[in-house]
Every structure is written in structure tokens, then in C-alpha cells.
Amino acid sequence: MSRWKQLPAELHPHVRQLIVRLRGLKDRSELSTRQLTARTGYSAKSWQRYLNGRSLPPREAVEAMARIGGGDPARLLLMHEIAAQRWAEGRVVTTDAPENLAATPAHTPTEQQPYRRRLRVAVTAGAVVSVLSVTAALVLAMQLTEARAQLARDRSDDLPAALATVSASLVPVIYTCRLEQRDGRWYAGLSRTTEIPLSNTHVGLEVAEAQCLLSRAGTAPGEIDGVFGPKTRRAVERMQKKSGLVVDGVIGTRTWHALRKAATK
């Protein structure tokens, strides 16, 4: 078994735990640092720094050591991930001898850059996802508000007053279905279209009309709120499957025709 040097006292416990585990795997493999170089591609000086706590080994080196020493790669990589986070927080670097400091810097930027780069990428990705989610919500809210405003302007034209009630908040409007059959086609009193395509994020009277007809056809989408969301899409898909249509969750001309012509619930 190798006679290991004492690890620097400034090492975080999680970093120390990883290095001790790597030392144990090296002892188990009975390989010298030169032999490790041949098996892993990392220099003997690099392994000396890694195993003496002067530099954090990269993920690939840890994975190679797990393979060579017969360790559990998943567990070792988890330990490495935690140690990398602690290492990135910064610590005072000490070396075992002055000459080592001159020959092989303990905390070189090139070895730490991959971890900091991954941390920046993770933070950036999280920020992008948050921005996209907020943007999608704002777009849907703006469309809903515009549809309600249009409904308010049209309240004195073709629709009963009860159908033109518009909430000033973003709480969805609940529409009333007034089902009737004309010339062999069903209508709900909200729209007479048979062609306007509808899909995710669409809002308005046409969506509410389709929701009424979906409920009548036995594939209820939930509340009749004029918002084409996940529940409405699933209801459309069930109706399309039931009618032998292409199941894509989009209301096109053929799906409108099927909704208008549906014989029974």
C-alpha cells in the first residue's frame, strides 16, 4: 500500500473524501503513477497533484480511476460533482514543498475552467428556461385579454348580453353553450366557422365554440373558457381518434366538419 502524504488541512471535507476514495482505488489497482498515465492518459505529475489534494481531478480522470480500481462509477462521480462545487467556492492552496509550487501550480486556471464553465452554462440555461416560461405566459395572457376586449365590443351585435360578460382580471371567462342543429349541423351560438384552424395557445369565441361541440360529442375539454390549452388538446385528440381522423390535436377543416356533424354524444 502507498505511503500517502498528509492532505492539506484547508481542504473541504467533501474534497478530502473524494481524494481519500481515489487513493484507495489506486492502492487496490496496485498501479504506479506512471502506469496510471499509460492507462488514463493523464501525466504522472497530474496524478500526483490530484492524489495529494493540490488540484481537483477532472471528471474523466475520476471515471477512469473508478474503472481501473473497480469502484462504483456513479457514486464516485456524484462525490466528484459535490467536491467540484466546494472547490469552486475557493480555498487557500498549500503545497507540500516550495519546489512543487514552482514546477506544478496547485490551482491552475486551465484545470478549474471546465468546472466554472459548466457552472455558468447551468446558470445560463436555468435563466433561459425561466425567461421562455414567463414569455409564453405573457403571450397567452395578452391573447386572452385581446379576445375578451373584442367580445366586449361585440356584445351588442350578434350575441346575448349574458355571453358578453368580460372579467377585468385574467380569470378565464366561462361561456354558455346554446346548442342547436341547423341543416344537419350543430352550433353552440358562439361561432359559425367551419374553417378557422385552432391549436395550442389560441383563445376566443371559436375556441369556446369548439369546446362546446367537443362536450356535446362526448369528449369534454373541461370548462368552456375559450382557451385552447392542454385539456382542450387532449379532448380534440380523443374526438379525432373516435372519428377516424388524423390525431394531431389541431382543429382544422375536417375536424370542424366532424364536430358539426357528430350525431350523438
mmCIF file of all heavy atoms in Angstrom, residues 38-89:
data_model
loop_
_atom_site.group_PDB
_atom_site.id
_atom_site.type_symbol
_atom_site.label_atom_id
_atom_site.label_comp_id
_atom_site.label_asym_id
_atom_site.label_seq_id
_atom_site.Cartn_x
_atom_site.Cartn_y
_atom_site.Cartn_z
ATOM 1 N N ALA A 38 -0.256 5.589 -18.352
ATOM 2 C CA ALA A 38 -0.453 4.749 -19.537
ATOM 3 C C ALA A 38 -1.903 4.302 -19.681
ATOM 4 O O ALA A 38 -2.410 4.146 -20.797
ATOM 5 C CB ALA A 38 0.468 3.528 -19.464
ATOM 6 N N ARG A 39 -2.586 4.094 -18.556
ATOM 7 C CA ARG A 39 -3.963 3.589 -18.593
ATOM 8 C C ARG A 39 -4.997 4.695 -18.771
ATOM 9 O O ARG A 39 -6.104 4.437 -19.265
ATOM 10 C CB ARG A 39 -4.265 2.830 -17.292
ATOM 11 C CG ARG A 39 -3.425 1.574 -17.089
ATOM 12 C CD ARG A 39 -3.892 0.420 -17.955
ATOM 13 N NE ARG A 39 -5.212 -0.013 -17.575
ATOM 14 C CZ ARG A 39 -5.456 -0.899 -16.600
ATOM 15 N NH1 ARG A 39 -4.452 -1.443 -15.934
ATOM 16 N NH2 ARG A 39 -6.698 -1.252 -16.320
ATOM 17 N N THR A 40 -4.659 5.936 -18.337
ATOM 18 C CA THR A 40 -5.670 7.011 -18.340
ATOM 19 C C THR A 40 -5.349 8.167 -19.283
ATOM 20 O O THR A 40 -6.253 8.929 -19.646
ATOM 21 C CB THR A 40 -5.844 7.589 -16.921
ATOM 22 O OG1 THR A 40 -4.627 8.239 -16.524
ATOM 23 C CG2 THR A 40 -6.180 6.496 -15.929
ATOM 24 N N GLY A 41 -4.059 8.334 -19.631
ATOM 25 C CA GLY A 41 -3.690 9.463 -20.476
ATOM 26 C C GLY A 41 -3.345 10.723 -19.702
ATOM 27 O O GLY A 41 -2.904 11.709 -20.292
ATOM 28 N N TYR A 42 -3.528 10.722 -18.382
ATOM 29 C CA TYR A 42 -3.155 11.860 -17.546
ATOM 30 C C TYR A 42 -1.732 11.641 -17.028
ATOM 31 O O TYR A 42 -1.370 10.543 -16.620
ATOM 32 C CB TYR A 42 -4.130 12.027 -16.376
ATOM 33 C CG TYR A 42 -5.503 12.445 -16.817
ATOM 34 C CD1 TYR A 42 -6.467 11.499 -17.148
ATOM 35 C CD2 TYR A 42 -5.838 13.781 -16.932
ATOM 36 C CE1 TYR A 42 -7.736 11.875 -17.571
ATOM 37 C CE2 TYR A 42 -7.094 14.174 -17.351
ATOM 38 C CZ TYR A 42 -8.035 13.208 -17.673
ATOM 39 O OH TYR A 42 -9.294 13.584 -18.095
ATOM 40 N N SER A 43 -0.908 12.710 -17.022
ATOM 41 C CA SER A 43 0.502 12.581 -16.678
ATOM 42 C C SER A 43 0.687 12.169 -15.221
ATOM 43 O O SER A 43 -0.206 12.331 -14.377
ATOM 44 C CB SER A 43 1.214 13.904 -16.928
ATOM 45 O OG SER A 43 0.772 14.885 -16.001
ATOM 46 N N ALA A 44 1.886 11.651 -14.939
ATOM 47 C CA ALA A 44 2.202 11.246 -13.572
ATOM 48 C C ALA A 44 2.172 12.448 -12.630
ATOM 49 O O ALA A 44 1.698 12.349 -11.488
ATOM 50 C CB ALA A 44 3.586 10.579 -13.545
ATOM 51 N N LYS A 45 2.661 13.604 -13.106
ATOM 52 C CA LYS A 45 2.625 14.814 -12.276
ATOM 53 C C LYS A 45 1.190 15.234 -11.980
ATOM 54 O O LYS A 45 0.884 15.703 -10.883
ATOM 55 C CB LYS A 45 3.384 15.939 -12.959
ATOM 56 C CG LYS A 45 4.897 15.737 -12.984
ATOM 57 C CD LYS A 45 5.596 16.945 -13.566
ATOM 58 C CE LYS A 45 7.109 16.770 -13.527
ATOM 59 N NZ LYS A 45 7.816 17.950 -14.084
ATOM 60 N N SER A 46 0.307 15.061 -12.966
ATOM 61 C CA SER A 46 -1.096 15.404 -12.737
ATOM 62 C C SER A 46 -1.696 14.510 -11.654
ATOM 63 O O SER A 46 -2.383 14.995 -10.738
ATOM 64 C CB SER A 46 -1.890 15.245 -14.033
ATOM 65 O OG SER A 46 -1.483 16.190 -14.995
ATOM 66 N N TRP A 47 -1.427 13.213 -11.750
ATOM 67 C CA TRP A 47 -1.963 12.300 -10.730
ATOM 68 C C TRP A 47 -1.366 12.606 -9.354
ATOM 69 O O TRP A 47 -2.060 12.467 -8.338
ATOM 70 C CB TRP A 47 -1.676 10.845 -11.113
ATOM 71 C CG TRP A 47 -2.674 10.296 -12.078
ATOM 72 C CD1 TRP A 47 -2.478 9.909 -13.364
ATOM 73 C CD2 TRP A 47 -4.063 10.090 -11.818
ATOM 74 N NE1 TRP A 47 -3.642 9.475 -13.936
ATOM 75 C CE2 TRP A 47 -4.643 9.570 -12.999
ATOM 76 C CE3 TRP A 47 -4.884 10.296 -10.714
ATOM 77 C CZ2 TRP A 47 -5.995 9.256 -13.106
ATOM 78 C CZ3 TRP A 47 -6.238 9.978 -10.815
ATOM 79 C CH2 TRP A 47 -6.779 9.468 -11.998
ATOM 80 N N GLN A 48 -0.117 13.030 -9.294
ATOM 81 C CA GLN A 48 0.462 13.411 -8.006
ATOM 82 C C GLN A 48 -0.275 14.607 -7.418
ATOM 83 O O GLN A 48 -0.545 14.656 -6.210
ATOM 84 C CB GLN A 48 1.955 13.727 -8.185
ATOM 85 C CG GLN A 48 2.812 12.495 -8.477
ATOM 86 C CD GLN A 48 4.244 12.856 -8.830
ATOM 87 O OE1 GLN A 48 4.626 14.034 -8.810
ATOM 88 N NE2 GLN A 48 5.047 11.845 -9.172
ATOM 89 N N ARG A 49 -0.595 15.573 -8.277
ATOM 90 C CA ARG A 49 -1.349 16.727 -7.778
ATOM 91 C C ARG A 49 -2.754 16.320 -7.338
ATOM 92 O O ARG A 49 -3.242 16.769 -6.298
ATOM 93 C CB ARG A 49 -1.437 17.809 -8.864
ATOM 94 C CG ARG A 49 -0.109 18.443 -9.214
ATOM 95 C CD ARG A 49 -0.306 19.777 -9.930
ATOM 96 N NE ARG A 49 -1.145 19.633 -11.120
ATOM 97 C CZ ARG A 49 -0.677 19.333 -12.319
ATOM 98 N NH1 ARG A 49 0.615 19.108 -12.484
ATOM 99 N NH2 ARG A 49 -1.490 19.249 -13.358
ATOM 100 N N TYR A 50 -3.411 15.483 -8.149
ATOM 101 C CA TYR A 50 -4.776 15.062 -7.813
ATOM 102 C C TYR A 50 -4.813 14.321 -6.476
ATOM 103 O O TYR A 50 -5.670 14.592 -5.620
ATOM 104 C CB TYR A 50 -5.331 14.148 -8.904
ATOM 105 C CG TYR A 50 -5.408 14.756 -10.281
ATOM 106 C CD1 TYR A 50 -5.393 13.945 -11.422
ATOM 107 C CD2 TYR A 50 -5.471 16.136 -10.454
ATOM 108 C CE1 TYR A 50 -5.453 14.493 -12.696
ATOM 109 C CE2 TYR A 50 -5.537 16.684 -11.728
ATOM 110 C CZ TYR A 50 -5.522 15.859 -12.843
ATOM 111 O OH TYR A 50 -5.583 16.386 -14.094
ATOM 112 N N LEU A 51 -3.907 13.381 -6.313
ATOM 113 C CA LEU A 51 -3.946 12.490 -5.148
ATOM 114 C C LEU A 51 -3.339 13.120 -3.902
ATOM 115 O O LEU A 51 -3.460 12.560 -2.809
ATOM 116 C CB LEU A 51 -3.229 11.179 -5.471
ATOM 117 C CG LEU A 51 -3.881 10.355 -6.598
ATOM 118 C CD1 LEU A 51 -3.017 9.159 -6.957
ATOM 119 C CD2 LEU A 51 -5.282 9.895 -6.199
ATOM 120 N N ASN A 52 -2.689 14.278 -4.050
ATOM 121 C CA ASN A 52 -2.154 14.988 -2.893
ATOM 122 C C ASN A 52 -2.975 16.223 -2.548
ATOM 123 O O ASN A 52 -2.577 17.016 -1.700
ATOM 124 C CB ASN A 52 -0.694 15.384 -3.146
ATOM 125 C CG ASN A 52 0.236 14.185 -3.058
ATOM 126 O OD1 ASN A 52 0.066 13.319 -2.200
ATOM 127 N ND2 ASN A 52 1.219 14.111 -3.954
ATOM 128 N N GLY A 53 -4.118 16.399 -3.249
ATOM 129 C CA GLY A 53 -5.032 17.476 -2.882
ATOM 130 C C GLY A 53 -4.606 18.844 -3.335
ATOM 131 O O GLY A 53 -5.135 19.849 -2.851
ATOM 132 N N ARG A 54 -3.672 18.930 -4.293
ATOM 133 C CA ARG A 54 -3.231 20.235 -4.763
ATOM 134 C C ARG A 54 -3.992 20.688 -6.002
ATOM 135 O O ARG A 54 -3.878 21.842 -6.416
ATOM 136 C CB ARG A 54 -1.724 20.199 -5.058
ATOM 137 C CG ARG A 54 -0.866 19.848 -3.841
ATOM 138 C CD ARG A 54 0.579 20.280 -4.028
ATOM 139 N NE ARG A 54 1.164 19.752 -5.243
ATOM 140 C CZ ARG A 54 1.749 18.549 -5.342
ATOM 141 N NH1 ARG A 54 1.777 17.754 -4.270
ATOM 142 N NH2 ARG A 54 2.285 18.160 -6.475
ATOM 143 N N SER A 55 -4.730 19.783 -6.606
ATOM 144 C CA SER A 55 -5.528 20.116 -7.783
ATOM 145 C C SER A 55 -6.689 19.138 -7.859
ATOM 146 O O SER A 55 -6.526 17.947 -7.555
ATOM 147 C CB SER A 55 -4.667 20.028 -9.057
ATOM 148 O OG SER A 55 -5.445 20.378 -10.188
ATOM 149 N N LEU A 56 -7.862 19.638 -8.246
ATOM 150 C CA LEU A 56 -9.027 18.759 -8.329
ATOM 151 C C LEU A 56 -8.996 17.991 -9.647
ATOM 152 O O LEU A 56 -8.876 18.599 -10.715
ATOM 153 C CB LEU A 56 -10.316 19.580 -8.249
ATOM 154 C CG LEU A 56 -11.612 18.748 -8.142
ATOM 155 C CD1 LEU A 56 -11.685 18.077 -6.778
ATOM 156 C CD2 LEU A 56 -12.829 19.636 -8.361
ATOM 157 N N PRO A 57 -9.093 16.674 -9.628
ATOM 158 C CA PRO A 57 -9.061 15.905 -10.880
ATOM 159 C C PRO A 57 -10.304 16.162 -11.715
ATOM 160 O O PRO A 57 -11.394 16.371 -11.174
ATOM 161 C CB PRO A 57 -9.010 14.451 -10.397
ATOM 162 C CG PRO A 57 -9.641 14.481 -9.045
ATOM 163 C CD PRO A 57 -9.251 15.808 -8.457
ATOM 164 N N PRO A 58 -10.165 16.158 -13.041
ATOM 165 C CA PRO A 58 -11.351 16.304 -13.888
ATOM 166 C C PRO A 58 -12.246 15.085 -13.811
ATOM 167 O O PRO A 58 -11.832 14.006 -13.361
ATOM 168 C CB PRO A 58 -10.753 16.470 -15.297
ATOM 169 C CG PRO A 58 -9.414 15.831 -15.226
ATOM 170 C CD PRO A 58 -8.928 16.052 -13.827
ATOM 171 N N ARG A 59 -13.460 15.257 -14.256
ATOM 172 C CA ARG A 59 -14.459 14.179 -14.193
ATOM 173 C C ARG A 59 -13.981 12.924 -14.924
ATOM 174 O O ARG A 59 -14.171 11.811 -14.441
ATOM 175 C CB ARG A 59 -15.768 14.685 -14.821
ATOM 176 C CG ARG A 59 -16.870 13.648 -14.905
ATOM 177 C CD ARG A 59 -18.060 14.212 -15.659
ATOM 178 N NE ARG A 59 -19.104 13.220 -15.835
ATOM 179 C CZ ARG A 59 -20.091 13.003 -14.994
ATOM 180 N NH1 ARG A 59 -20.169 13.729 -13.897
ATOM 181 N NH2 ARG A 59 -21.011 12.081 -15.222
ATOM 182 N N GLU A 60 -13.318 13.115 -16.078
ATOM 183 C CA GLU A 60 -12.880 11.967 -16.861
ATOM 184 C C GLU A 60 -11.825 11.159 -16.124
ATOM 185 O O GLU A 60 -11.789 9.923 -16.216
ATOM 186 C CB GLU A 60 -12.342 12.433 -18.214
ATOM 187 C CG GLU A 60 -13.392 13.023 -19.138
ATOM 188 C CD GLU A 60 -13.802 14.434 -18.734
ATOM 189 O OE1 GLU A 60 -13.132 15.021 -17.857
ATOM 190 O OE2 GLU A 60 -14.789 14.945 -19.307
ATOM 191 N N ALA A 61 -10.926 11.851 -15.378
ATOM 192 C CA ALA A 61 -9.901 11.148 -14.614
ATOM 193 C C ALA A 61 -10.530 10.333 -13.490
ATOM 194 O O ALA A 61 -10.117 9.207 -13.204
ATOM 195 C CB ALA A 61 -8.894 12.147 -14.054
ATOM 196 N N VAL A 62 -11.538 10.914 -12.832
ATOM 197 C CA VAL A 62 -12.234 10.195 -11.764
ATOM 198 C C VAL A 62 -12.932 8.951 -12.316
ATOM 199 O O VAL A 62 -12.888 7.868 -11.723
ATOM 200 C CB VAL A 62 -13.257 11.128 -11.087
ATOM 201 C CG1 VAL A 62 -14.128 10.363 -10.104
ATOM 202 C CG2 VAL A 62 -12.542 12.270 -10.378
ATOM 203 N N GLU A 63 -13.566 9.110 -13.471
ATOM 204 C CA GLU A 63 -14.254 7.977 -14.083
ATOM 205 C C GLU A 63 -13.266 6.879 -14.468
ATOM 206 O O GLU A 63 -13.538 5.692 -14.297
ATOM 207 C CB GLU A 63 -15.022 8.459 -15.312
ATOM 208 C CG GLU A 63 -15.970 7.433 -15.899
ATOM 209 C CD GLU A 63 -16.842 8.017 -16.992
ATOM 210 O OE1 GLU A 63 -16.571 9.149 -17.434
ATOM 211 O OE2 GLU A 63 -17.804 7.335 -17.405
ATOM 212 N N ALA A 64 -12.095 7.284 -14.983
ATOM 213 C CA ALA A 64 -11.074 6.303 -15.342
ATOM 214 C C ALA A 64 -10.562 5.569 -14.118
ATOM 215 O O ALA A 64 -10.357 4.340 -14.142
ATOM 216 C CB ALA A 64 -9.917 7.004 -16.061
ATOM 217 N N MET A 65 -10.362 6.269 -13.011
ATOM 218 C CA MET A 65 -9.898 5.635 -11.783
ATOM 219 C C MET A 65 -10.928 4.648 -11.252
ATOM 220 O O MET A 65 -10.583 3.575 -10.753
ATOM 221 C CB MET A 65 -9.589 6.697 -10.726
ATOM 222 C CG MET A 65 -9.074 6.113 -9.416
ATOM 223 S SD MET A 65 -7.468 5.310 -9.587
ATOM 224 C CE MET A 65 -6.390 6.731 -9.447
ATOM 225 N N ALA A 66 -12.213 4.998 -11.363
ATOM 226 C CA ALA A 66 -13.267 4.071 -10.922
ATOM 227 C C ALA A 66 -13.220 2.788 -11.742
ATOM 228 O O ALA A 66 -13.386 1.674 -11.208
ATOM 229 C CB ALA A 66 -14.633 4.743 -11.055
ATOM 230 N N ARG A 67 -12.978 2.935 -13.033
ATOM 231 C CA ARG A 67 -12.921 1.758 -13.904
ATOM 232 C C ARG A 67 -11.705 0.884 -13.588
ATOM 233 O O ARG A 67 -11.792 -0.344 -13.532
ATOM 234 C CB ARG A 67 -12.882 2.218 -15.357
ATOM 235 C CG ARG A 67 -12.893 1.085 -16.374
ATOM 236 C CD ARG A 67 -12.964 1.609 -17.804
ATOM 237 N NE ARG A 67 -11.813 2.443 -18.144
ATOM 238 C CZ ARG A 67 -11.822 3.748 -18.247
ATOM 239 N NH1 ARG A 67 -12.947 4.415 -18.036
ATOM 240 N NH2 ARG A 67 -10.735 4.432 -18.560
ATOM 241 N N ILE A 68 -10.576 1.531 -13.341
ATOM 242 C CA ILE A 68 -9.344 0.791 -13.090
ATOM 243 C C ILE A 68 -9.360 0.135 -11.703
ATOM 244 O O ILE A 68 -8.952 -1.017 -11.537
ATOM 245 C CB ILE A 68 -8.130 1.736 -13.216
ATOM 246 C CG1 ILE A 68 -7.981 2.186 -14.669
ATOM 247 C CG2 ILE A 68 -6.860 1.065 -12.735
ATOM 248 C CD1 ILE A 68 -6.955 3.289 -14.860
ATOM 249 N N GLY A 69 -9.848 0.884 -10.702
ATOM 250 C CA GLY A 69 -9.815 0.383 -9.332
ATOM 251 C C GLY A 69 -11.011 -0.448 -8.936
ATOM 252 O O GLY A 69 -11.085 -0.931 -7.798
ATOM 253 N N GLY A 70 -11.993 -0.603 -9.842
ATOM 254 C CA GLY A 70 -13.160 -1.416 -9.523
ATOM 255 C C GLY A 70 -14.143 -0.721 -8.605
ATOM 256 O O GLY A 70 -14.877 -1.388 -7.864
ATOM 257 N N GLY A 71 -14.178 0.614 -8.646
ATOM 258 C CA GLY A 71 -15.128 1.352 -7.812
ATOM 259 C C GLY A 71 -16.465 1.539 -8.509
ATOM 260 O O GLY A 71 -16.630 1.204 -9.683
ATOM 261 N N ASP A 72 -17.432 2.083 -7.777
ATOM 262 C CA ASP A 72 -18.760 2.369 -8.314
ATOM 263 C C ASP A 72 -18.696 3.713 -9.040
ATOM 264 O O ASP A 72 -18.594 4.762 -8.394
ATOM 265 C CB ASP A 72 -19.780 2.424 -7.169
ATOM 266 C CG ASP A 72 -21.197 2.689 -7.676
ATOM 267 O OD1 ASP A 72 -21.360 2.869 -8.897
ATOM 268 O OD2 ASP A 72 -22.127 2.701 -6.858
ATOM 269 N N PRO A 73 -18.757 3.718 -10.385
ATOM 270 C CA PRO A 73 -18.597 4.987 -11.114
ATOM 271 C C PRO A 73 -19.656 6.017 -10.747
ATOM 272 O O PRO A 73 -19.346 7.201 -10.592
ATOM 273 C CB PRO A 73 -18.720 4.559 -12.581
ATOM 274 C CG PRO A 73 -18.415 3.097 -12.593
ATOM 275 C CD PRO A 73 -18.904 2.570 -11.290
ATOM 276 N N ALA A 74 -20.915 5.591 -10.607
ATOM 277 C CA ALA A 74 -21.989 6.541 -10.316
ATOM 278 C C ALA A 74 -21.755 7.236 -8.981
ATOM 279 O O ALA A 74 -21.887 8.463 -8.859
ATOM 280 C CB ALA A 74 -23.333 5.819 -10.310
ATOM 281 N N ARG A 75 -21.403 6.459 -7.976
ATOM 282 C CA ARG A 75 -21.175 7.038 -6.652
ATOM 283 C C ARG A 75 -19.957 7.959 -6.658
ATOM 284 O O ARG A 75 -19.982 9.051 -6.077
ATOM 285 C CB ARG A 75 -20.971 5.924 -5.628
ATOM 286 C CG ARG A 75 -20.744 6.437 -4.210
ATOM 287 C CD ARG A 75 -20.545 5.294 -3.249
ATOM 288 N NE ARG A 75 -20.308 5.782 -1.896
ATOM 289 C CZ ARG A 75 -19.994 5.018 -0.857
ATOM 290 N NH1 ARG A 75 -19.928 3.707 -1.027
ATOM 291 N NH2 ARG A 75 -19.773 5.548 0.314
ATOM 292 N N LEU A 76 -18.887 7.525 -7.351
ATOM 293 C CA LEU A 76 -17.668 8.321 -7.379
ATOM 294 C C LEU A 76 -17.886 9.636 -8.129
ATOM 295 O O LEU A 76 -17.373 10.682 -7.732
ATOM 296 C CB LEU A 76 -16.545 7.513 -8.030
ATOM 297 C CG LEU A 76 -15.120 7.966 -7.698
ATOM 298 C CD1 LEU A 76 -14.866 7.837 -6.206
ATOM 299 C CD2 LEU A 76 -14.101 7.144 -8.464
ATOM 300 N N LEU A 77 -18.658 9.595 -9.216
ATOM 301 C CA LEU A 77 -18.928 10.818 -9.973
ATOM 302 C C LEU A 77 -19.821 11.776 -9.184
ATOM 303 O O LEU A 77 -19.705 12.992 -9.322
ATOM 304 C CB LEU A 77 -19.577 10.461 -11.316
ATOM 305 C CG LEU A 77 -18.640 9.777 -12.327
ATOM 306 C CD1 LEU A 77 -19.402 9.380 -13.582
ATOM 307 C CD2 LEU A 77 -17.471 10.689 -12.684
ATOM 308 N N LEU A 78 -20.720 11.224 -8.379
ATOM 309 C CA LEU A 78 -21.533 12.082 -7.510
ATOM 310 C C LEU A 78 -20.650 12.771 -6.477
ATOM 311 O O LEU A 78 -20.810 13.974 -6.206
ATOM 312 C CB LEU A 78 -22.610 11.247 -6.819
ATOM 313 C CG LEU A 78 -23.514 12.005 -5.837
ATOM 314 C CD1 LEU A 78 -24.257 13.135 -6.546
ATOM 315 C CD2 LEU A 78 -24.519 11.046 -5.192
ATOM 316 N N MET A 79 -19.717 12.015 -5.886
ATOM 317 C CA MET A 79 -18.772 12.613 -4.939
ATOM 318 C C MET A 79 -17.950 13.701 -5.625
ATOM 319 O O MET A 79 -17.690 14.753 -5.044
ATOM 320 C CB MET A 79 -17.854 11.526 -4.376
ATOM 321 C CG MET A 79 -18.558 10.505 -3.493
ATOM 322 S SD MET A 79 -17.466 9.125 -3.030
ATOM 323 C CE MET A 79 -16.207 9.992 -2.098
ATOM 324 N N HIS A 80 -17.550 13.447 -6.884
ATOM 325 C CA HIS A 80 -16.767 14.433 -7.626
ATOM 326 C C HIS A 80 -17.580 15.702 -7.895
ATOM 327 O O HIS A 80 -17.070 16.816 -7.797
ATOM 328 C CB HIS A 80 -16.302 13.827 -8.952
ATOM 329 C CG HIS A 80 -15.574 14.809 -9.821
ATOM 330 N ND1 HIS A 80 -16.208 15.559 -10.788
ATOM 331 C CD2 HIS A 80 -14.267 15.187 -9.856
ATOM 332 C CE1 HIS A 80 -15.328 16.335 -11.378
ATOM 333 N NE2 HIS A 80 -14.151 16.134 -10.842
ATOM 334 N N GLU A 81 -18.857 15.544 -8.235
ATOM 335 C CA GLU A 81 -19.705 16.705 -8.501
ATOM 336 C C GLU A 81 -19.825 17.590 -7.270
ATOM 337 O O GLU A 81 -19.738 18.817 -7.360
ATOM 338 C CB GLU A 81 -21.086 16.236 -8.956
ATOM 339 C CG GLU A 81 -22.023 17.372 -9.313
ATOM 340 C CD GLU A 81 -23.372 16.883 -9.808
ATOM 341 O OE1 GLU A 81 -23.514 15.659 -10.030
ATOM 342 O OE2 GLU A 81 -24.279 17.710 -9.977
ATOM 343 N N ILE A 82 -20.014 16.970 -6.109
ATOM 344 C CA ILE A 82 -20.123 17.734 -4.862
ATOM 345 C C ILE A 82 -18.790 18.398 -4.538
ATOM 346 O O ILE A 82 -18.734 19.571 -4.150
ATOM 347 C CB ILE A 82 -20.569 16.813 -3.713
ATOM 348 C CG1 ILE A 82 -21.975 16.248 -4.000
ATOM 349 C CG2 ILE A 82 -20.551 17.554 -2.389
ATOM 350 C CD1 ILE A 82 -22.433 15.209 -3.008
ATOM 351 N N ALA A 83 -17.692 17.649 -4.718
ATOM 352 C CA ALA A 83 -16.367 18.198 -4.435
ATOM 353 C C ALA A 83 -16.055 19.372 -5.358
ATOM 354 O O ALA A 83 -15.456 20.368 -4.935
ATOM 355 C CB ALA A 83 -15.316 17.106 -4.580
ATOM 356 N N ALA A 84 -16.471 19.269 -6.623
ATOM 357 C CA ALA A 84 -16.215 20.352 -7.580
ATOM 358 C C ALA A 84 -16.922 21.631 -7.159
ATOM 359 O O ALA A 84 -16.392 22.739 -7.318
ATOM 360 C CB ALA A 84 -16.655 19.924 -8.977
ATOM 361 N N GLN A 85 -18.134 21.499 -6.635
ATOM 362 C CA GLN A 85 -18.865 22.674 -6.163
ATOM 363 C C GLN A 85 -18.131 23.339 -5.008
ATOM 364 O O GLN A 85 -18.017 24.565 -4.949
ATOM 365 C CB GLN A 85 -20.271 22.268 -5.745
ATOM 366 C CG GLN A 85 -21.151 21.790 -6.893
ATOM 367 C CD GLN A 85 -22.486 21.266 -6.415
ATOM 368 O OE1 GLN A 85 -22.744 21.182 -5.220
ATOM 369 N NE2 GLN A 85 -23.342 20.905 -7.350
ATOM 370 N N ARG A 86 -17.629 22.511 -4.087
ATOM 371 C CA ARG A 86 -16.895 23.066 -2.941
ATOM 372 C C ARG A 86 -15.584 23.689 -3.391
ATOM 373 O O ARG A 86 -15.180 24.738 -2.890
ATOM 374 C CB ARG A 86 -16.630 21.960 -1.899
ATOM 375 C CG ARG A 86 -17.872 21.294 -1.366
ATOM 376 C CD ARG A 86 -18.873 22.308 -0.879
ATOM 377 N NE ARG A 86 -20.062 21.674 -0.337
ATOM 378 C CZ ARG A 86 -21.197 22.292 -0.097
ATOM 379 N NH1 ARG A 86 -21.295 23.587 -0.386
ATOM 380 N NH2 ARG A 86 -22.234 21.653 0.402
ATOM 381 N N TRP A 87 -14.914 23.021 -4.345
ATOM 382 C CA TRP A 87 -13.635 23.534 -4.834
ATOM 383 C C TRP A 87 -13.824 24.888 -5.516
ATOM 384 O O TRP A 87 -12.999 25.793 -5.373
ATOM 385 C CB TRP A 87 -13.033 22.521 -5.805
ATOM 386 C CG TRP A 87 -11.626 22.847 -6.216
ATOM 387 C CD1 TRP A 87 -11.236 23.724 -7.173
ATOM 388 C CD2 TRP A 87 -10.429 22.302 -5.655
ATOM 389 N NE1 TRP A 87 -9.868 23.755 -7.266
ATOM 390 C CE2 TRP A 87 -9.340 22.899 -6.344
ATOM 391 C CE3 TRP A 87 -10.170 21.375 -4.660
ATOM 392 C CZ2 TRP A 87 -8.017 22.581 -6.066
ATOM 393 C CZ3 TRP A 87 -8.847 21.052 -4.374
ATOM 394 C CH2 TRP A 87 -7.789 21.655 -5.067
ATOM 395 N N ALA A 88 -14.912 25.027 -6.277
ATOM 396 C CA ALA A 88 -15.168 26.269 -6.999
ATOM 397 C C ALA A 88 -15.424 27.436 -6.054
ATOM 398 O O ALA A 88 -15.273 28.599 -6.435
ATOM 399 C CB ALA A 88 -16.353 26.089 -7.944
ATOM 400 N N GLU A 89 -15.849 27.128 -4.837
ATOM 401 C CA GLU A 89 -16.099 28.187 -3.858
ATOM 402 C C GLU A 89 -14.800 28.852 -3.413
ATOM 403 O O GLU A 89 -14.820 29.916 -2.816
ATOM 404 C CB GLU A 89 -16.849 27.618 -2.657
ATOM 405 C CG GLU A 89 -18.262 27.154 -3.002
ATOM 406 C CD GLU A 89 -18.937 26.431 -1.846
ATOM 407 O OE1 GLU A 89 -18.274 26.271 -0.788
ATOM 408 O OE2 GLU A 89 -20.100 26.025 -1.987
#
